[in-house]
Amino acid sequence: MNARQSYGRAAEETAARYLEARGWRLLGRNVRIGRGELDIVARHGSALVFVEVKARRTRACGSPEDAVTPLKRRQVARLAELWLAARPWALRGVAEVRFDVVAVDGTRRPAEVRHLQGAFTLDG
Amino acid sequence: MLARIASEALNGLEGHPVEVEADVVAAAPSFSVVGLPDAAVQESRERVRSAIVNSAYEFPSRRITINLAPADLRKEGPSFDLPIALAFLVATGQVNDGCDGRGPLAAVGELGLDGSLRPVAGALALAESLRRRGLRGLLLPAANAAEASLVRGLEVYPASTLSEAVAQLSAGGARPAPPADLAALLGSAPAGEADFSDIVGQDAVKRALEVAVAGAHNVLMSGPPGAGKTMLARRLPSIMPALTLAEAIEITRVYSVAGLLPAEAPLIARRPFRAPHHTISSPGLVGGGGTPRPGEVSLAHLGVLFLDEFPEFRLAALEGLRQPLEDGEVTISRRLTSITFPARLMLVAAMNPCPCGYLGDRERECLCPPHRLRQYGSRLSGPLLDRIDLRVEVPRVSPRDRRSERLGEGSVDVRARVARARRRQLARLAGTGIYANAHMSARHLRRLCTLEADAVALLDRAYERLHLSARACDRIVKVAQTIADLEESPTVGVAQVAESLSYRARSRHDR
């Protein structure tokens, strides 16, 4: 694991703690489906949320939110559908399903966590 | 939860029912529109989403499916924004459909991102079609309300924002628009500015134009440049008979579908006068386009289409005039549909007798080489010329007439005679759905026109001597009938047929 990858892991840890501190129940982390991976799957009240975590140490490549490209959205959306298809019971008691982005911005000290609810949908 | 809102799609002037269904379920979030939507309908998702959020409603993160039924009918344009938004709000339980037991309301309208409602094209035709289907009322943008209230027997509920539309829907229709005062709208037409008395001399031409306008017959004026052809044509609106209510509604329907209805005038109360430039394309003249739109012939419905420099028009455009001139309508065929627009126009064409303009002039010599003359004349095909009832020569104004201080007869007097003649026609044609002699079919002609015996004999002789077509013969009778109406004669006599024939005769320099 190189420095960039380990920074990513650390950011996912930050995001998970951030969500848990706000009463979210994490159903899975780094859920592998085929070649893809869902960063965090969580329940928050009646919502089932798929969370994509993005982290940036510098501004050289833009903000972390900008890193969730249309390709990435499509990947996450497809993985979420596969995840749901394998677990029909997961929708029990669920009123809404969401895709959120948690951005860990390392350009500030301490690192700032920004949470974008409903960042995207299946159709973009 | 599932919700339904009634709406209507337009194919030309014809309405088709569309049911907008919204289904909202807890699943991976998406917002899709199905049911053969075109690009504008697909984009409606973005407008609806913004309008809902900016009107302080919730846009929940669930799977939202909008179906526009029936699925085999192409849905075009932005008019489904409002029914989609309303169906969505009912499906998510944010609004109650308050129409229970009273019959549903239909909705049309385009949404702005801020939730404002923008007017849609064709509201009159939509409202008429909904009334025929027996729907109780229509929820639509406030800017379309005056136009839709022209329709009797349909409640019209205007709204200027999505929130207002929601309020109307949840009350099952709370504040209807007042029905239009049709008589006042019809009477509000301003009179023409330019007057016939501006033109000195040219009495024969003026008589021919009076006959043409009285019966809505087609005219071709031919003469040297500067003789006054354009001036005469531009003054035709000042002698045209007032519109009947039925005519005004027919014209308004076309303008509404074309999106050309002025905001301050929901009813077109004056006969149209269209004068497209001779560079116009064939679809521009007869109608067409990917989503067929009415062309100039339809925008001139029950009015005048003035084509100056007639032979300079594109051949395709000229030949495209044949069907509207004969049938009074235009049919545009596309892969999946064919659309018919009305086009009962009065064609007024003007041309020079030759490219240089002086062929047949008394004082000036024509400089055109013979082959140019042949070319010029041959641009107007026999079948096209056959559909023109009156051909008149407009000579150069004589020096004495030009200096004359005497004014010609004013438009008011001419219009009075024309109006009287048109009233006789309307009485005779009552119940046929047509308003002028020129639009009579061969059957109307036999049933409604009484020719005196010597008039029939003259017509028979002319038919043989002049090698007229059967169509030309019918048209001669129609013009003769109009002349009889101007003279308030119950039958068509030999004098009227003779005058009619004189307009049909080929002029000296016709091929």
Side-chain angles (χ1 to χ4, degrees), chain B residues 166-217:
Chain B
V166 164
Q168 293 269 33
L169 179 72
S170 54
R175 288 168 290 112
D181 183 353
L182 296 170
L185 285 171
L186 197 59
S188 67
E193 333 48 51
D195 200 276
F196 241 44
S197 60
D198 300 342
I199 296 156
V200 285
Q202 308 289 28
D203 290 333
V205 184
K206 284 184 189 166
R207 162 72 181 178
L209 290 179
E210 178 179 332
V211 171
V213 168
H217 304 287

Side-chain angles (χ1 to χ4, degrees), chain A residues 94-99 121-123, chain B residues 26-27 29-31 45 61-62:
Chain A
V94 169
E96 64 172 21
V97 180
R98 251 185 9 232
F99 295 107
T121 62
L122 281 187
D123 48 299
Chain B
S30 69
F31 185 14
R45 290 182 304 170
S61 187
R62 293 184 226 169

